[in-house]
Amino acid sequence: MRLTQQAHAALAKILTPGDHAIDATCGNGYDTCFVAQQVGPTGRVLGIDIQPEAIRATRGALEQAGCSGQSILVQDSHANMMAIADEHGLHAPMAVMFNLGYLPGTDKRITTTVDTTIQALNAARALLAPGGALSVMSYRGHSEGAHEHAAVVRWCQSAKERGDTVQQRTAPANGPVWSLVIKPRSGPA
């Protein structure tokens, strides 16, 4: 099973109808559609991406899947997640997804970066409901991705030290790495 499928399977066990969720990096909309289907029409999904192409692709995917009614799309940096979520009244999401790197089929020089991703991970962790999960797909196969992946690994280690449950799975060769971070249901925030 591909890592993206494993991520969806793990979050399908956590998300229920009526929940809130965030896709911090919309890309082509696959993860946004997945979480929108999981939370259903009574839930809410916030999708964020810095590229207008990603917002357009995600909007089209959501419309095709019949999930646009519960979804809000914002063209901005995922580093601004806290303010964006607050502006749209999206609090205590049960899941936040990150699929880092660049948008396939576009300019590979436009990528997520260490600084903005760590800001976004910190915001996501602060927003996350107790028992909620962060799913982070990082890519080691390009220069910025290798740096970003190393920073994600360090961030996950600090999350584990705070009491979060952390699982990581790696694809062969220089493929992606999936990190799943689950916030405790109670205890330290």
Side-chain angles (χ1 to χ4, degrees), residues 82 133 160 180:
M82 186 73 75
K160 189 183 277 189
L180 180 67

Side-chain angles (χ1 to χ4, degrees), residues 2-169:
R2 293 178 50 191
L3 290 179
T4 52
Q5 293 170 314
Q6 291 179 44
H8 286 190
L11 293 185
K13 294 176 184 176
I14 293 170
L15 288 168
T16 59
D19 283 344
H20 289 185
I22 297 173
D23 183 357
T25 53
C26 290
N28 285 311
Y30 302 122
D31 290 340
T32 317
C33 283
F34 165 75
V35 293
Q37 290 166 338
Q38 297 303 302
V39 304
T42 60
R44 292 190 64 207
V45 173
L46 172 61
I48 304 168
D49 205 291
I50 201 159
Q51 295 187 69
E53 300 90 348
I55 296 297
R56 278 193 296 277
T58 300
R59 183 171 288 114
L62 286 165
E63 287 170 1
Q64 187 173 23
C67 296
S68 57
Q70 64 260 40
S71 304
I72 303 160
L73 298 177
V74 177
Q75 184 185 335
D76 202 338
S77 170
H78 58 283
N80 299 323
M81 181 188 313
M82 186 73 75
I84 297 166
D86 188 52
E87 177 184 341
H88 292 282
L90 198 135
H91 302 288
M94 280 304 293
V96 181
M97 296 194 79
F98 291 82
N99 196 331
L100 303 173
Y102 54 83
L103 179 61
T106 64
D107 187 347
K108 292 181 180 181
R109 294 173 296 174
I110 301 172
T111 69
T112 53
T113 64
V114 171
D115 292 340
T116 60
T117 294
I118 296 304
Q119 279 183 273
L121 287 170
N122 288 331
R125 173 61 172 67
L127 284 166
L128 201 63
L134 300 179
S135 174
V136 185
M137 198 71 63
S138 58
Y139 297 86
R140 305 168 288 173
H142 60 97
S143 177
E144 182 59 36
H147 297 298
E148 188 174 40
H149 167 69
V152 168
V153 168
R154 288 189 300 275
W155 187 89
C156 286
Q157 182 58 41
S158 70
K160 189 183 277 189
E161 291 166 5
R162 282 192 306 263
D164 294 354
T165 301
V166 178
Q167 301 171 24
Q168 292 181 313
R169 297 207 174 103

